Amino acid sequence: LSGVLSFSSPSPAELFERLLHGITTMTDLAARLAAVIDPARIRTDADSLQQYGRDWTRYYAPAASAVVFPHSLGEVQALVQLARAERLALVPSGGRTGLSGGACAVAGEVVVSFEQMREISDFDPVAATVRCQAGVVTESLQQYALAQGLYFPVDFASRGSSCIGGNIATNAGGIKVVRYGMFRDWVAGLTVVTGAGDVLRLNQGLVKNNSGYDLRHLFVGSEGTLGLIVDATLRLARAPAPARVMVCAAPALEHILQVFHAFRARLTLNAFEFFSEAAQQAVLARGHVRRAVDTVTPYYALLEFDAEHEPAALAAFEACVDAGWLADGVISQSDTQAAALWRLREDISESITPRTPYKNDVSVVISRAPAFIAELDALLAREYPDFDVVWFGHIGDGNLHINVLRPLDMDIDTFRGHCERVNSLVFDVLARYQGSMSAEHGVGLLKRDYLPVTRSAEEIHYLRGIRQVFDPDGILNPGKLLPAAESA
């Protein structure tokens, strides 16, 4: 029984005393929420609290006090104003596909689910923009754009369940960053409700707007700590040309970057991904896709490019084989074959989920990637001799996903302890290469205490100040993103 959090004096003892004396009950909380949200759209049953209180992270027990489903900007604003008046903590929720605990409600928060706000409107064919409510599923936007003869290029494996609001809040990247950039690059305008209960309409689709600070970009990547994203105006691209997908077998990890440079010198790449044989084995074990090439090597590269570049791609492939960087390869000849090849990369996360992987999502400047990878690979082999380590990621933009798989006979807490011990070593290496401890998955709860690896004490000081301005009472996604003051 929880739901009221005091941020003016947030000690656990005081919170316990409040609960002990019955100041807040589920029934009482639901009654107060009903002042701004239709009671039919308020849930306090155990199944809902479990479902909506967690994301794809599996290291935190959900402990939400209620789940609400607003339908409009007015309801979101009224909810924030109520929360501010009554010291309610709010956790925004979309598709809950995050991997850092950013959408987890673990301390009695009220979950604000945007899954019933899924309107797509205000399509502008001249400006090539469209307005989406926060709960619009990524794939729905992609399909809408194609129906208009256009294209929304930010793409990732969770496209069928991730939502626009969450994508913006985490500045999602995905599989085509090497050509199209991050989510931030496609946000032309935002409507948000700040933690102070104010509505901000930011940029409103303008291409040029040089009128001072662009607050829009503060909310991209803010993980729900500054305000609740209600809707966004997004830019669309022209429809893509027919594409080809190639999967190549590489004898060593360092060869992957050499292959990238060889192909990029000859043609424009839509995507350049890599994965290990261990990752491929996890996907193949499910029996729904086949091995791409007969030659078994430790690592593989997956490339996508416009079909018109196929001759150049074949020439690059031959050059890489001659150099000893590649041992085999296959190129798609149909959309069906291309989709099957992509499954080898996109289905990795889902395939390893039963092993409760501990994920590191790091990035370095692409020119430093070969040396960084060599050093990190040696460290992981030394420190995790008895654990399975699965590598994959968007290596074309310097982003690596390192997944340590939990042994089936080891409990989660023990496993996490082992991983966090090695984290300090991994991040020591990362800091020397001036990389990021969270390339695209966000910081959330899981990586919060590691923020000083990437951000200086001075930066964190300013980040706290920004958060205080937009959320003066600390009601929005408390405990996420920024480490406790004493650890900064």
Side-chain angles (χ1 to χ4, degrees):
L1 295 176
S2 54
V4 171
L5 301 180
S6 171
F7 293 95
S8 57
S9 180
S11 71
E14 181 178 4
L15 177 58
F16 179 77
E17 185 177 352
R18 284 174 177 267
L19 300 178
L20 187 65
H21 286 82
I23 293 177
T24 299
T25 66
M26 292 291 193
T27 302
D28 182 34
L29 176 61
R32 284 177 293 149
L33 291 171
V36 295
I37 300 289
D38 185 336
R41 291 185 273 114
I42 301 171
R43 299 184 193 174
T44 57
D45 61 283
D47 288 345
S48 294
L49 299 182
Q50 176 83 7
Q51 176 184 352
Y52 290 92
R54 70 192 314 176
D55 59 11
W56 280 6
T57 314
R58 289 296 183 261
Y59 292 101
Y60 304 98
S65 59
V67 186
V68 297
F69 301 85
H71 278 185
S72 67
L73 171 62
E75 286 188 345
V76 175
Q77 183 180 25
L79 177 63
V80 172
Q81 290 171 341
L82 174 70
R84 189 178 185 194
E86 303 215 15
R87 305 285 190 182
L88 299 175
L90 304 178
V91 173
S93 175
R96 300 181 305 286
T97 58
L99 296 167
S100 295
C104 292
V106 298
E109 303 96 333
V110 175
V111 175
V112 184
S113 172
F114 286 90
E115 69 175 33
Q116 295 184 22
M117 295 184 67
R118 291 185 166 170
E119 181 181 356
I120 299 176
S121 63
D122 298 341
F123 171 62
D124 186 332
V126 177
T129 60
V130 67
R131 184 181 179 191
C132 298
Q133 288 187 315
V136 170
V137 174
T138 308
E139 191 170 44
S140 298
L141 171 60
Q142 293 171 336
Q143 293 172 345
Y144 180 91
L146 289 174
Q148 315 307 316
L150 294 167
Y151 181 55
F152 188 73
V154 185
D155 197 14
F156 21 75
S158 63
R159 68 181 70 86
S161 51
S162 65
C163 295
I164 296 302
N167 294 339
I168 295 170
T170 57
N171 190 25
I175 58 180
K176 297 187 179 179
V177 170
V178 69
R179 179 165 184 178
Y180 293 105
M182 303 284 283
F183 219 95
R184 178 186 305 280
D185 301 306
W186 300 89
V187 178
L190 285 177
T191 303
V192 301
V193 177
T194 72
D198 299 320
V199 174
L200 301 181
R201 294 178 173 86
L202 306 173
N203 198 61
Q204 302 191 77
L206 295 171
V207 174
K208 288 187 173 182
N209 182 11
N210 211 8
S211 56
Y213 308 128
D214 192 342
L215 298 181
R216 163 186 45 151
H217 288 297
L218 278 178
F219 288 88
V220 180
S222 65
E223 300 189 34
T225 62
L226 305 180
L228 302 182
I229 296 168
V230 178
D231 65 57
T233 299
L234 300 173
R235 296 190 176 95
L236 304 176
R238 65 180 182 177
R244 294 284 186 267
V245 175
M246 180 183 286
V247 171
C248 305
L253 184 56
E254 61 265 25
H255 294 158
I256 296 290
L257 265 298
Q258 293 166 316
V259 171
F260 173 67
H261 293 309
F263 273 80
R264 191 172 61 170
R266 291 171 170 83
L267 65 148
T268 298
L269 294 169
N270 298 340
F272 189 90
E273 302 285 304
F274 91 108
F275 53 91
S276 65
E277 172 64 14
Q280 181 169 227
Q281 287 289 347
V283 176
L284 295 175
R286 297 170 60 192
H288 66 301
V289 292
R290 298 170 56 188
R291 180 178 289 276
V293 295
D294 294 332
T295 304
V296 177
T297 55
Y299 297 96
Y300 303 86
L302 183 149
L303 307 81
E304 183 184 280
F305 47 85
D306 292 348
E308 64 181 3
H309 296 314
E310 184 172 340
L314 292 173
F317 174 77
E318 291 177 5
C320 291
V321 171
D322 291 342
W325 302 334
L326 292 177
D328 202 351
V330 63
I331 187 169
S332 66
Q333 296 301 315
S334 68
D335 290 344
T336 300
Q337 188 178 12
L341 292 176
W342 264 116
R343 296 292 294 274
L344 291 169
R345 164 61 183 88
E346 292 196 310
D347 289 5
I348 296 171
S349 288
E350 184 177 350
S351 299
I352 64 177
T353 293
R355 297 285 297 277
T356 326
Y358 191 89
K359 296 175 176 288
N360 268 317
D361 159 44
V362 300
S363 68
V364 295
V365 174
I366 188 68
S367 61
R368 298 173 181 168
F372 172 73
I373 289 172
E375 189 169 347
L376 193 58
D377 193 32
L379 185 152
L380 293 173
R382 182 181 73 245
E383 297 295 334
Y384 288 134
D386 301 321
F387 291 175
D388 294 326
V389 180
V390 171
W391 289 72
F392 65 93
H394 321 294
I395 200 167
D397 51 59
N399 182 192
L400 308 172
H401 298 312
I402 307 158
N403 300 261
V404 184
L405 305 188
R406 178 179 60 86
L408 295 177
D409 59 351
M410 183 177 290
D411 67 85
I412 288 180
D413 290 338
T414 301
F415 173 62
R416 182 179 176 185
H418 284 298
C419 294
E420 290 183 343
R421 178 187 66 80
V422 178
N423 259 1
S424 62
L425 302 177
V426 170
F427 289 148
D428 283 346
V429 176
L430 185 68
R432 283 195 282 104
Y433 283 86
Q434 298 178 307
S436 172
M437 41 65 72
S438 180
E440 65 174 356
H441 289 165
V443 177
L445 284 171
L446 191 64
K447 305 299 181 184
R448 174 194 63 194
D449 294 335
Y450 299 110
L451 188 65
V453 173
T454 299
R455 300 285 195 165
S456 68
E458 292 78 11
E459 285 182 284
I460 293 176
H461 170 75
Y462 281 105
L463 292 176
R464 293 187 198 286
I466 291 169
R467 186 168 185 171
Q468 178 65 29
V469 168
F470 285 95
D471 184 18
D473 298 308
I475 64 171
L476 297 183
N477 227 2
K480 313 292 175 53
L481 183 58
L482 295 177
E486 61 270 17
S487 65

